[in-house]
Amino acid sequence: MIDEECSLLEKSFDNDFSNFTYLNSWSNHYKSWKDNLNFDTLFIKYEDIEKNKEDTFKKIILFVERISKKNTQLDEKKFINAIRSTNFSNLKNKELNEGFEESIYSRKLGKKINFFNLGFSNRWQKILPHDIKARMNKIFKKNLEELGYLNDQ
């Protein structure tokens, strides 16, 4: 999170670096989107979805409509069906029955780890050591305040 040289590269046999992704630190990554003037952005926090998924998804739909210059009416029936079919328990069951490409393999456990694991009951606040939380809060204080996270904890 603090490494400004952080990147992702999936190793390949032919030294193909086309999948290289430069990440930078969390703060610089966040600021690159927040301070962007080249195109519109929409910030959605995980907590927004947790607190009010319907309003949050409507906000996303309206944003996409605006930037794509479309002006279609929201089909309420399709919208409600999309909300229901993408709820956490449905996605978790789908992963258990059909697999999920984004799940990762754990060398430590010797198996794939479910992508849809804990959902909204995943409370990092309960498992992250206090000293690491305090260090991250200090390093990213300005960004966390902007996003309203330091007030929530």
Side-chain angles (χ1 to χ4, degrees):
M1 292 195 53
I2 60 177
D3 182 359
E4 294 189 2
E5 301 300 320
C6 185
S7 63
L8 296 174
L9 175 63
E10 187 175 313
K11 294 184 181 182
S12 64
F13 296 106
D14 58 359
N15 290 324
D16 175 16
F17 295 101
S18 63
N19 60 5
F20 175 80
T21 304
Y22 179 64
L23 296 176
N24 208 306
S25 68
W26 176 84
S27 179
N28 286 337
H29 185 80
Y30 160 69
K31 288 187 281 188
S32 75
W33 287 98
K34 181 184 74 95
D35 298 338
N36 164 57
L37 299 176
N38 296 316
F39 50 85
D40 288 339
T41 55
L42 174 66
F43 279 87
I44 299 292
K45 298 188 300 186
Y46 184 79
E47 295 80 6
D48 298 335
I49 298 168
E50 183 179 23
K51 290 176 187 168
N52 194 334
K53 67 179 143 201
E54 288 86 1
D55 285 348
T56 303
F57 282 117
K58 281 184 181 177
K59 190 177 187 179
I60 294 167
I61 290 168
L62 292 172
F63 175 78
V64 170
E65 293 257 325
R66 184 174 57 76
I67 64 170
S68 62
K69 297 182 179 24
K70 291 185 178 180
N71 191 17
T72 57
Q73 288 287 80
L74 178 69
D75 183 326
E76 200 66 35
K77 188 176 178 181
K78 285 184 178 179
F79 177 76
I80 296 301
N81 185 45
I83 294 290
R84 286 187 188 135
S85 65
T86 58
N87 75 38
F88 183 81
S89 61
N90 284 347
L91 294 172
K92 184 175 180 115
N93 286 334
K94 186 173 176 74
E95 178 180 19
L96 293 173
N97 294 321
E98 301 171 28
F100 192 73
E101 190 175 322
E102 284 82 357
S103 64
I104 61 167
Y105 182 81
S106 168
R107 285 186 225 136
K108 183 179 179 182
L109 299 174
K111 65 178 184 175
K112 276 195 152 196
I113 299 172
N114 289 338
F115 184 87
F116 296 98
N117 184 20
L118 299 173
F120 291 130
S121 64
N122 182 9
R123 295 288 174 235
W124 62 267
Q125 298 93 330
K126 294 179 183 175
I127 58 174
L128 185 69
H130 180 74
D131 59 322
I132 294 174
K133 178 183 173 186
R135 182 174 179 221
M136 294 298 113
N137 283 350
K138 183 177 179 182
I139 291 169
F140 300 124
K141 182 178 181 181
K142 182 179 176 193
N143 304 132
L144 294 171
E145 285 175 341
E146 286 175 6
L147 291 164
Y149 281 120
L150 292 183
N151 303 334
D152 296 344
Q153 299 162 30

